[in-house]
Amino acid sequence: MSADETVRYRIEPNRSRFTVRAFAGGMLSALAHNPTFAVRDFSGEAELAPNSLEGASLRLRARAESLELTDQVSDKDRKEIERLMREQVLEAGRYPEIVFESAGTSAVRISDGWYRFNITGELSLHGVANRCSFDTNVWITESTLRAQGEFPLRQTDYNIKLVSAAGGTIKVKDELKFAFDIMANKEGG
């Protein structure tokens, strides 16, 4: 392989973690919890030339209906929270797929095989496509790539209605926090 040859890494969802955390607000927010959802059905790939890092890219797809509540709650509450999230928040029947496609990257080498990337791209969610940017730590070995990071996202930027309960005294805050620990294997490696 030449020094500037592009290498493709396929995301391994069963070895990866991707979560979304919502935060309660409102007058009675102290009585509510901050739910965390795991994205269970996602796929994607990263491409880069390890010696130059120029032109690196990332594509990620997730099924909206695959989000599952990870918190310890009763089965009844779990079913209701997941139903609200899928039907009212994400409207998964109408908008089944969430897609991120990078448009540009920059990287700083921290040490051998370890980099700090800034990735800018377009996130399509709930029928709306917006430009977003986030930082990630990336470790690259001969056969694997691991990326870790987190980023905020405002639901209203994607025309998502903020849900409330208890007559509006408990509301979900606009900002969500996404966290990821993604493992990917080199194709053909």
Side-chain angles (χ1 to χ4, degrees), residues 26-159:
M27 288 178 18
L28 298 179
S29 62
L31 303 176
H33 79 288
N34 300 319
T36 300
F37 297 91
V39 182
R40 299 292 188 204
D41 185 0
F42 64 95
S43 62
E45 59 194 31
E47 292 182 2
L48 56 93
N51 292 333
S52 72
L53 302 177
E54 294 297 318
S57 68
L58 172 67
R59 284 175 292 290
L60 184 66
R61 295 183 182 284
R63 302 286 306 160
E65 67 186 19
S66 78
L67 275 71
E68 291 181 358
L69 185 67
T70 63
D71 305 328
Q72 296 295 324
V73 297
S74 71
D75 285 342
K76 178 184 177 222
D77 287 347
R78 176 179 310 284
K79 287 177 183 172
E80 180 61 14
I81 291 168
E82 287 180 353
R83 183 192 68 76
L84 283 171
M85 186 266 311
R86 289 182 182 125
E87 293 176 11
Q88 292 184 20
V89 176
L90 292 176
E91 297 182 82
R94 249 178 106 186
Y95 309 107
E97 200 167 54
I98 301 163
V99 178
F100 177 80
E101 180 87 34
S102 67
T105 61
S106 62
V108 174
R109 182 175 178 246
I110 297 169
S111 67
D112 282 345
W114 184 23
Y115 305 89
R116 181 77 173 165
F117 272 84
N118 177 270
I119 302 173
T120 301
E122 185 174 270
L123 177 64
S124 297
L125 168 65
H126 197 254
V128 175
N130 281 325
R131 196 150 192 84
C132 66
S133 180
F134 59 93
D135 292 325
T136 179
N137 290 321
V138 178
W139 293 268
I140 302 170
T141 70
E142 183 65 31
S143 60
T144 63
L145 178 147
R146 182 176 188 179
Q148 294 177 320
E150 59 184 39
F151 60 94
L153 179 140
R154 287 194 333 247
Q155 296 178 78
T156 54
D157 288 346
Y158 294 88
N159 294 335

Side-chain angles (χ1 to χ4, degrees), residues 1-26:
M1 171 169 45
S2 71
D4 58 352
E5 186 175 331
T6 299
V7 178
R8 179 178 292 177
Y9 296 86
R10 285 243 180 252
I11 293 174
E12 298 288 329
N14 59 334
R15 295 176 52 216
S16 301
R17 180 184 53 81
F18 198 168
T19 60
V20 182
R21 185 157 196 192
F23 299 93

